[in-house]
Amino acid sequence: MIDQHSQNRLQRLQWRFVVGWAILSLAFVAWGLVKMTIDRTPTAMAGRANLDALMPWWVASTMAWVALSIMAWMLWRGIVRTRRESYGTVVMLILVVAIGARVAVLIGHEPTLSDDVYRYVMDGRNLAHGHNPYLDTPAERAGFPSDVILERPLSVLMGEIDALSIEERWSGEADLLPLINNPELHTIYLPTSQWVFAGTGLLIRENMSDPSNSTWMFRSVMVGFEVLAILLLIGALILRKQSPWWAALYAWHPLPLAELAGSGHQDSIGLAFMMLAMVLFLIAPRKIWGWTICLALAALVKPVVLPIAAFMLKDLSVRRFHHREHGEARDGKQKTENLKTEMREGDQFSFDSSHLRDSPWCILLSSLQNWKAWLLSVVIGALVCLAISAPLWFTHDGKPLDNLRETSTRFSTKWSHFGSVYESSLWAIRLVDPLEDPDLQWQKKDRQELQARGICLALVGIVCVIAFFCPAGVWRSSRAVLFAMVLFSSTSHPWYLLWALILLPVAFSPAVWVASLTLLLGYAQLGDVVEWETPTWVMWLAYVPIFVVLILDLARKVFFRHPT
């Protein structure tokens, strides 16, 4: 029979083995990205070569995901207990491994999985040189008319671009234009991102203005924002008296490594501001201005964070309601002292109100009674958004805002990729009302796609309402809604999941965790660079595990919930 000392020693050895496995797997993920090359030439041979290039990265990502899954299981079971005095060592290890992997990808990898970063460079350098990024499209800068519909990408029209002898606004513009996707469209990126792009554009010197060095600078800045988000995540875990090892589930995950260090997606800007808002709410929930400003800045990267403000205000309203109901803290000074005491104690009540099991009526009543806080948050958020957006949107007789609205409308009504519920809804609609009449086919097709998008939007709204009125705390409600937006979106790129994934170490979800592996299969579309279609079996392989785990998890919570 094994004594307690031997058992503890065995568990420590198991933990070190799993941690080493996760680090080694992450190194293989970085190596797979460094070696990866993607060819977008519209040929079947290029598609097959792309799948061959993706395979080592997929395998390494699976290895890393399995190792991190075991780490999560051991943390959840309490097999590993981190002493507070060793927090510094743990945090340092997590950061060294995470930053080391990102630096390796930054040095050895060119953007291949996504080419969005080239648009960031154009927007940022335009704004840095005094040109509004919402006014001109890449096609217009290349000399094409504003209403042109390009049947070939600008990269194919390289010879024609050279012949037009573009008058560059800044060094390297002519070389960058052929690399930008959807060149006939104005930029879709929002003001917070644009100001960060401009600041990054100012860092680019004349001798480093080629596309490769420019994108490296932008990817480095995005990684800097992500490292800040990871630090805030670790801080949130420590504030909640959770082991900082949970942060490795995000910091060492292959998805952010590929999407932020590899492709340089702007989402890292929003992640940093969102995490700052979450931490500020943990520390000082009554200082509405602090976390509202951060959420407003994050919303001007992607508006997906807007429901989080409602969850925070609900949580704050419920706390005040129960303080008032129980006759506690009748004067303002005593109320402040009580809240400070709760924060020092670190109990569950100080972080969310989930243990109160409030009824929807109680939540609604408390929110109405706390209407001044809601109004203050709305006013502060609106003023921040106006201050950040006005210099870009409300110039040139409002033309920049009109261009943004046009591009956003096209994105929301025309584009679709890898959307699970959207594709299923569209299939069901066409099963009931098939496209038969050739004369009305395109008109009916647009109407059916709009109906499918309406179904998805309604489902997102339903999830938001349920999350608001359920007794879950801010972190779980936010993670649930951000995940629902991925599942119900008509376009579900893998990096969209990052907004929910970074909340997962605090508010774990098996479905989100499974999705962080299977959604990587969305890049299987690169195997068909002729028609750009995703095989049906890939959709099934990616989404069936997610929905099975999601249904089982919901059933467990509904039918096997512990009484309070």
Side-chain angles (χ1 to χ4, degrees):
M1 186 175 181
I2 302 177
D3 59 22
Q4 188 64 37
H5 176 74
S6 299
Q7 185 177 1
N8 291 339
R9 183 183 178 190
L10 178 61
Q11 289 176 346
R12 286 195 297 270
L13 289 174
Q14 292 172 338
W15 175 253
R16 290 172 183 171
F17 172 78
V18 175
V19 169
W21 175 9
I23 295 173
L24 183 62
S25 298
L26 191 64
F28 277 111
V29 172
W31 174 82
L33 288 168
V34 169
K35 293 295 183 180
M36 183 187 297
T37 56
I38 298 296
D39 185 0
R40 286 177 166 79
T41 305
T43 63
M45 184 177 297
R48 288 193 294 270
N50 289 341
L51 292 178
D52 291 339
L54 287 166
M55 190 58 65
W57 174 63
W58 277 331
V59 172
S61 297
T62 303
M63 290 172 54
W65 184 86
V66 171
L68 292 173
S69 300
I70 297 174
M71 287 177 62
W73 179 81
M74 295 179 74
L75 288 167
W76 174 68
R77 290 296 301 270
I79 295 175
V80 178
R81 299 186 182 277
T82 309
R83 295 190 302 272
R84 199 168 187 85
E85 56 269 21
S86 63
Y87 276 9
T89 303
V90 172
V91 170
M92 186 61 65
L93 176 61
I94 291 173
L95 290 176
V96 167
V97 173
I99 295 174
R102 284 155 175 78
V103 169
V105 173
L106 283 172
I107 293 174
H109 177 75
E110 290 289 331
T112 53
L113 293 173
S114 170
D115 50 12
D116 289 355
V117 68
Y118 297 112
R119 174 79 73 161
Y120 306 167
V121 176
M122 178 179 174
D123 289 356
R125 301 210 67 190
N126 274 335
L127 187 53
H129 286 79
H131 303 284
N132 192 312
Y134 294 102
L135 288 178
D136 299 317
T137 67
E140 290 170 348
R141 291 296 304 142
F144 293 94
S146 58
D147 58 349
V148 68
I149 299 178
L150 298 177
E151 297 181 356
R152 294 177 293 166
L154 286 180
S155 57
V156 177
L157 301 172
M158 176 70 78
E160 298 176 34
I161 293 175
D162 291 338
L164 291 171
S165 300
I166 300 170
E167 184 178 348
E168 292 186 334
R169 291 173 171 172
W170 31 268
S171 178
E173 183 182 14
D175 293 331
L176 183 71
L177 290 174
L179 304 174
I180 299 174
N181 59 37
N182 300 293
E184 73 279 7
L185 297 179
H186 294 90
T187 184
I188 198 174
Y189 301 110
L190 298 181
T192 299
S193 297
Q194 294 292 353
W195 292 116
V196 173
F197 296 163
T200 309
L202 291 173
L203 299 176
I204 298 176
R205 297 291 176 256
E206 190 79 15
N207 61 344
M208 297 184 64
S209 59
D210 60 282
S212 179
N213 282 309
S214 297
T215 56
W216 180 86
M217 181 65 72
F218 272 74
R219 289 190 295 135
S220 299
V221 169
M222 299 308 155
V223 167
F225 275 97
E226 188 201 14
V227 171
L228 173 59
I230 293 172
L231 287 170
L232 291 167
L233 171 61
I234 293 172
L237 289 166
I238 294 174
L239 281 172
R240 292 175 58 94
K241 299 188 182 300
Q242 293 178 253
S243 170
W245 274 116
W246 283 102
L249 299 186
Y250 175 87
W252 295 358
H253 199 288
L255 179 60
L257 180 64
E259 303 298 352
L260 300 180
S263 297
H265 285 293
Q266 53 133 14
D267 298 66
S268 62
I269 306 170
L271 294 180
F273 283 117
M274 181 183 73
M275 292 305 297
L276 181 56
M278 301 295 275
V279 171
L280 288 176
F281 186 78
L282 284 178
I283 297 172
R286 299 179 68 208
K287 293 183 178 179
I288 297 173
W289 61 270
W291 50 263
T292 296
I293 290 174
C294 295
L295 283 180
L297 292 172
L300 287 178
V301 177
K302 282 188 176 179
V304 295
V305 300
L306 288 175
I308 299 178
F311 301 145
M312 289 179 172
L313 288 165
K314 178 200 79 170
D315 193 80
L316 182 60
S317 300
V318 169
R319 292 187 203 181
R320 288 182 173 179
F321 178 81
H322 283 279
H323 275 296
R324 192 180 302 114
E325 285 294 302
H326 298 320
E328 298 175 2
R330 294 187 181 277
D331 64 295
K333 182 178 179 181
Q334 184 62 37
K335 183 180 294 185
T336 301
E337 291 301 319
N338 284 352
L339 286 175
K340 287 182 178 179
T341 301
E342 288 169 2
M343 289 299 171
R344 285 196 299 269
E345 291 173 354
D347 60 4
Q348 181 68 13
F349 179 74
S350 64
F351 298 118
D352 62 59
S353 54
S354 60
H355 76 294
L356 296 173
R357 301 296 177 190
D358 294 294
S359 66
W361 172 250
C362 174
I363 292 172
L364 181 61
L365 179 62
S366 62
S367 298
L368 291 174
Q369 291 179 346
N370 199 32
W371 64 271
K372 291 182 180 180
W374 286 77
L375 180 60
L376 179 62
S377 182
V378 170
V379 170
I380 292 174
L383 290 175
V384 171
C385 290
L386 183 63
I388 297 296
S389 305
L392 297 175
W393 287 352
F394 304 123
T395 60
H396 301 84
D397 297 324
K399 185 65 175 176
L401 187 57
D402 292 337
N403 292 336
L404 174 63
R405 187 183 300 114
E406 180 183 348
T407 302
S408 301
T409 300
R410 180 166 174 178
F411 175 81
S412 59
T413 60
K414 297 296 182 182
W415 292 354
S416 62
H417 166 70
F418 213 56
S420 59
V421 175
Y422 170 77
E423 295 293 346
S424 301
S425 301
L426 188 59
W427 173 83
I429 292 171
R430 288 177 177 171
L431 189 65
V432 175
D433 185 16
L435 299 171
E436 293 177 348
D437 190 344
D439 297 331
L440 301 176
Q441 185 172 4
W442 287 107
Q443 182 180 354
K444 181 183 288 188
K445 180 175 180 291
D446 290 343
R447 187 179 71 250
Q448 291 175 341
E449 290 177 353
L450 188 61
Q451 291 171 347
R453 293 174 197 273
I455 292 172
C456 293
L457 183 61
L459 290 172
V460 171
I462 291 171
V463 172
C464 288
V465 172
I466 293 174
F468 182 82
F469 285 106
C470 78
V474 173
W475 290 80
R476 292 190 178 277
S477 299
S478 302
R479 184 257 300 147
V481 168
L482 292 171
F483 184 43
M485 290 180 181
V486 177
L487 294 181
F488 299 145
S489 175
S490 59
T491 303
S492 297
H493 292 298
W495 62 89
Y496 290 5
L497 188 66
L498 293 175
W499 296 81
L501 185 64
I502 199 169
L503 301 180
L504 181 135
V506 175
F508 191 83
S509 165
V512 175
W513 186 244
V514 171
S516 70
L517 174 67
T518 62
L519 288 186
L520 296 178
L521 293 172
Y523 286 115
Q525 189 184 58
L526 293 171
D528 180 9
V529 288
V530 179
E531 299 294 335
W532 291 99
E533 293 183 354
T534 304
T536 303
W537 67 267
V538 172
M539 296 282 293
W540 282 86
L541 188 60
Y543 282 106
V544 167
I546 296 173
F547 282 101
V548 168
V549 172
L550 180 61
I551 291 170
L552 291 175
D553 189 42
L554 290 175
R556 177 185 63 83
K557 291 177 180 178
V558 171
F559 297 109
F560 301 98
R561 183 172 57 191
H562 292 290
T564 57

